[in-house]
C-alpha cells in the first residue's frame, strides 16, 4: 500500500470520527455519551497524523520506498468503504431487530433488591430499568395501583393483544446491549420500531416473584408517538 493511500485513509477515518462525535450526536447510537471526549481526541490525532504525513510527502521528505502496487491501493480503498458508509449512511440506533422476540432475545438478570424513591404524584416518568426493578422489588408495593409513563420503541409480539415497549441498555457500546422490555396490554400495537410514551399500570405477578427473569406486564391507558430521544439507550 502506498504511503499516500495510508495517509488518506487515516484522514478519512479521523474525519469520520469527528463527524459523528464533534459535529453531531450520532455517536450515541454506538457508544455511551461519556465516550465523546475519547472519540473526538482519537479523531483529532488521526487527522493530524494524516495531514503531517501528507505534507511531508508533498515536500519530498518521504522515505523513497513508496512504490506499492496499484492493486494494493485498490484493496486499501475497498477497506475504506465501511468508513465512507458511516459518514454517508450512519447506521441508526439498535431497534426491534436487535431486541428480538419473546424467545430469541438476550434477557437481563433479575434486578437485585434496591431501595427505591417514593413515586411522585400523578403518572411519573420511569426508565424501563427502574420499572422492571420495582416489579421485582420484594416489597412489591411501589408500583401497586400506580400509573406511570414509560418511553421506548415498539417491538411486536406473536401473542395476540400484546406488544413490547423496549429500550436497549448497554454497558459500553452497542455490541453489548441488552433489551429491556415491558409487555403492553390494553391498546393496539403502534408501528414496529416507532418510539412511544406509554401510560399505564403494572400488572402484579400471579403468586410470588419469578425466580428467573420474566418480562413484566402493564395495562396501558394511553400511547403517544414521539421522536427518538437524543440518547436512545438506557
Amino acid at each position: 500500500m502506498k504511503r499516500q493511500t495510508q495517509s488518506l485513509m487515516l484522514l478519512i477515518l479521523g474525519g469520520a470520527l469527528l463527524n459523528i462525535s464533534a459535529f453531531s450526536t450520532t455517536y450515541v447510537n454506538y457508544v455511551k455519551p461519556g465516550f465523546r471526549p475519547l472519540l473526538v481526541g482519537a479523531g483529532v490525532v488521526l487527522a493530524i497524523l494524516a495531514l503531517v504525513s501528507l505534507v511531508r510527502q508533498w515536500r519530498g521528505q518521504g522515505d523513497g520506498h513508496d512504490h506499492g502496487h496499484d492493486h494494493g491501493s485498490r484493496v486499501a480503498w475497498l477497506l475504506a468503504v465501511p468508513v465512507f458508509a458511516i459518514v454517508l449512511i450512519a447506521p441508526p440506533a439498535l431497534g426491534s431487530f436487535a431486541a428480538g422476540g419473546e424467545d430469541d432475545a438476550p434477557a437481563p438478570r433479575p434486578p437485585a433488591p434496591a431501595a427505591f424513591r417514593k413515586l411522585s404524584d400523578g403518572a411519573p416518568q420511569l426508565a424501563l430499568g427502574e420499572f422492571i426493578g420495582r416489579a421485582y422489588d420484594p416489597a412489591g408495593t411501589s408500583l401497586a395501583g400506580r400509573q406511570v409513563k414509560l418511553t421506548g420503541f415498539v417491538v411486536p409480539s406473536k401473542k395476540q393483544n400484546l406488544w413490547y415497549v423496549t429500550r436497549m441498555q448497554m454497558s459500553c457500546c452497542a455490541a453489548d446491549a441488552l433489551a429491556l422490555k415491558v409487555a403492553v396490554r390494553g391498546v393496539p400495537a403502534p408501528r414496529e420500531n416507532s418510539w412511544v410514551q406509554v401510560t399505564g399500570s403494572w400488572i402484579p405477578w400471579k403468586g410470588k416473584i419469578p425466580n428467573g427473569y420474566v418480562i413484566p406486564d402493564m395495562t396501558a391507558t394511553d400511547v403517544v408517538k414521539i421522536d427518538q430521544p437524543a440518547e436512545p439507550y438506557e
Side-chain angles (χ1 to χ4, degrees), residues 2-25:
K2 292 183 178 181
R3 290 285 297 275
Q4 188 176 15
T5 303
Q6 292 176 333
S7 300
L8 289 173
M9 287 187 63
L10 279 179
L11 185 60
I12 293 169
L13 181 56
L17 285 176
L18 290 174
N19 181 60
I20 66 173
S21 59
F23 307 122
S24 74
T25 57

Side-chain angles (χ1 to χ4, degrees), residues 3-153:
R3 290 285 297 275
Q4 188 176 15
T5 303
Q6 292 176 333
S7 300
L8 289 173
M9 287 187 63
L10 279 179
L11 185 60
I12 293 169
L13 181 56
L17 285 176
L18 290 174
N19 181 60
I20 66 173
S21 59
F23 307 122
S24 74
T25 57
T26 306
Y27 74 99
V28 297
N29 289 343
Y30 321 119
V31 297
K32 294 180 76 68
F35 282 86
R36 186 175 200 175
L38 296 177
L39 292 175
V40 173
V44 170
V45 169
L46 289 174
I48 291 175
L49 289 175
L51 290 173
V52 168
S53 178
L54 287 171
V55 169
R56 284 175 57 86
Q57 293 168 52
W58 289 336
R59 289 181 176 179
Q61 296 179 4
D63 56 14
H65 298 288
D66 296 339
H67 303 295
H69 299 292
D70 289 341
H71 69 272
S73 297
R74 287 195 293 269
V75 171
W77 285 113
L78 286 175
L79 294 175
V81 169
V83 179
F84 283 114
I86 292 177
V87 177
L88 300 175
I89 311 173
L94 297 177
S96 63
F97 180 80
E102 292 90 344
D103 300 321
D104 57 353
R109 294 180 180 178
F116 292 104
R117 60 182 172 82
K118 183 180 178 181
L119 292 178
S120 59
D121 295 336
Q125 177 75 45
L126 295 184
L128 262 71
E130 181 179 351
F131 181 91
I132 294 170
R134 288 177 182 271
Y136 274 88
D137 184 7
T141 57
S142 64
L143 288 178
R146 291 300 310 271
Q147 289 267 309
V148 297
K149 295 179 180 178
L150 302 180
T151 297
F153 58 87

Side-chain angles (χ1 to χ4, degrees), residues 216-231:
D217 290 16
M218 74 180 302
T219 299
T221 56
D222 186 45
V223 177
V224 178
K225 294 182 180 180
I226 62 172
D227 294 331
Q228 177 180 302
E231 296 182 15

